[in-house]
Amino acid sequence: MRDPRYDILFEPVQIGPHTTRNRFYQVPHCTGMGHRHPQAEAAHRGVKAEGGWGVICTQEAEIHASSDLTPANEARIWSDSDIPTLRRMTDAVHEHGSLAAIQLVHNGSHAANLYSRETALAPSHTVVDWGDPIQARAMDKTDIKNLRKWYVDAAKRAKTAGFDIVYAYAGHDMTILQHFMLSRHNQRTDEYGGSFENRTRLFREVIADIKDAVGDTCAIAVRLAVDELLGADG
């Protein structure tokens, strides 16, 4: 017999326009299978759904070729050609009555772009902190406009691929949205730098952009590391 103290864990929960069948929520985590092994990735997430988890998330999904973490094997949502791969995962999860979530990310100065050969991007000029010592250039207003569009395009692809929940990921010192928020990465003097309100501007814009892109069909989730924001003005 189940201890009634834990009954709440099995109650459905409303998440945006969707309802998860229980409170067992598999947060985003890497598997090492990613975009190169889509069948294994889908099977792994499907087994979790079959086992009873109410929500199943991907690992981080790179939204653009300038966020390339190769040789790491994360998810990708660079173009429409990635949709069928991701659809394998959502189909496997939905087959067992669970919700599927995707964690959209641009890695900024954490991505060396060894495969794509794209120039690394950052709030301010800096060195890429992962892999080879590659220089990331400071983003201008056109780059910021492009970044926002990449998030919109990725969110629309996520919706087409069947995801129920779409994340804006800004944590763990490895995402461009968080890099903008932290003064140690952001030395800008325009409306995207300086005060904490200015440094959070891009994050707030991207969340609004994603919501507009998916409408009322997907829930919007945010992932950030609160402890890393403490003292962010220091």
Side-chain angles (χ1 to χ4, degrees), residues 65-174:
S66 60
S67 181
D68 169 30
L69 282 184
T70 303
N73 188 21
E74 308 292 351
R76 282 182 182 169
I77 193 164
W78 293 3
S79 69
D80 289 352
S81 64
D82 294 310
I83 292 174
T85 294
L86 295 167
R87 172 66 76 171
R88 289 177 182 267
M89 182 264 192
T90 59
D91 285 348
V93 169
H94 290 154
E95 181 181 355
H96 301 288
S98 299
L99 301 180
I102 185 168
Q103 181 174 245
L104 303 183
V105 69
H106 192 291
N107 291 287
S109 59
H110 187 65
N113 301 328
L114 298 180
Y115 170 78
S116 69
R117 312 306 293 173
E118 293 273 352
T119 300
L121 301 173
S124 305
H125 293 297
T126 190
V127 176
V128 169
D129 68 2
W130 189 84
D132 296 336
I134 295 169
Q135 186 74 14
R137 67 171 174 81
M139 296 170 66
D140 59 24
K141 295 295 181 60
T142 298
D143 294 320
I144 291 174
K145 181 180 179 180
N146 289 339
L147 179 71
R148 292 178 62 182
K149 183 178 185 301
W150 298 338
Y151 269 102
V152 167
D153 292 344
K156 290 178 178 178
R157 292 180 189 122
K159 175 181 173 180
T160 300
F163 286 98
D164 308 293
I165 303 171
V166 179
Y167 272 83
Y169 178 27
H172 307 111
D173 206 27
M174 54 187 265

Side-chain angles (χ1 to χ4, degrees), residues 1 5-6 9 15 48 69 73 78-79 107 109 131 143 184 194 217 219 233:
M1 296 291 293
R5 291 180 299 173
Y6 304 116
L9 297 176
I15 304 178
K48 290 191 171 222
L69 282 184
N73 188 21
W78 293 3
S79 69
N107 291 287
S109 59
D143 294 320
R184 67 175 178 271
T217 60
D233 286 312

Side-chain angles (χ1 to χ4, degrees), residues 11-79:
E11 294 177 359
V13 178
Q14 187 78 21
I15 304 178
H18 299 289
T19 300
T20 175
R21 55 184 164 148
N22 57 45
R23 296 173 184 251
F24 292 95
Y25 195 113
Q26 181 251 287
V27 298
H29 72 79
C30 299
T31 63
M33 290 176 276
H35 66 92
R36 287 199 292 271
H37 307 289
Q39 290 178 303
E41 173 71 8
H44 173 82
R45 307 296 183 185
V47 165
K48 290 191 171 222
E50 185 178 9
W53 292 82
V55 179
I56 311 295
C57 299
T58 65
Q59 61 274 80
E60 65 174 56
E62 304 163 358
I63 64 169
H64 189 261
S66 60
S67 181
D68 169 30
L69 282 184
T70 303
N73 188 21
E74 308 292 351
R76 282 182 182 169
I77 193 164
W78 293 3
S79 69

